Amino acid sequence: MLKKFLLFIATALMAAGFAFAQVDVNKADQAALDGIRGIGPAMSKRILEERQKGGSFKDWDDLQNRVKGIKEKSAAKLSANGLTVNGKSRPEASGQPAKGGKAAPAGDKPAETAKK
């Protein structure tokens, strides 16, 4: 009975490890890409076609520029869901607004309130 329980625990731990596996966009097949939340059959097809046509993706910017439907917001979500480019998750873009806030344009200072 103890052996069966330990085997069950070991199997559950291995399955959990596979559930959080990273998928590299330059190495993945269609099934692996479809396994990423946010990528459906149409997007995985576009990714594979663009990879075949233009070669491996250099970085996240290259992926965003070449594949229709992947922009800043969706790239961040895909990265959070396990997609990588050359083994790297998408770096946080500088100047990103805090949750619910707006980023100030570069060089602008926040307006000060005048007290009279």
Side-chain angles (χ1 to χ4, degrees), residues 53-65:
K53 183 173 76 174
S56 295
F57 299 100
K58 295 176 184 82
D59 53 27
W60 278 95
D61 287 335
D62 188 31
L63 177 68
Q64 289 173 220
N65 290 330

Side-chain angles (χ1 to χ4, degrees), residues 32-91:
L33 290 171
D34 286 344
I36 298 291
R37 185 175 179 181
I39 297 181
M43 184 176 290
S44 62
K45 183 178 178 184
R46 286 194 304 265
I47 291 170
L48 293 173
E49 286 174 351
E50 186 57 42
R51 189 175 75 193
Q52 185 176 16
K53 183 173 76 174
S56 295
F57 299 100
K58 295 176 184 82
D59 53 27
W60 278 95
D61 287 335
D62 188 31
L63 177 68
Q64 289 173 220
N65 290 330
R66 290 170 49 191
V67 179
K68 181 181 176 184
I70 300 180
K71 299 296 177 208
E72 291 287 329
K73 192 173 181 179
S74 57
K77 288 180 182 179
L78 294 174
S79 180
N81 291 335
L83 189 68
T84 64
V85 177
N86 292 325
K88 296 180 183 177
S89 296
R90 184 177 175 273

Side-chain angles (χ1 to χ4, degrees), residues 10-41:
T11 304
L13 289 174
M14 287 191 320
F18 288 124
F20 298 109
Q22 300 288 312
V23 175
D24 192 310
V25 72
N26 288 319
K27 298 175 183 173
D29 59 6
Q30 186 160 4
L33 290 171
D34 286 344
I36 298 291
R37 185 175 179 181
I39 297 181

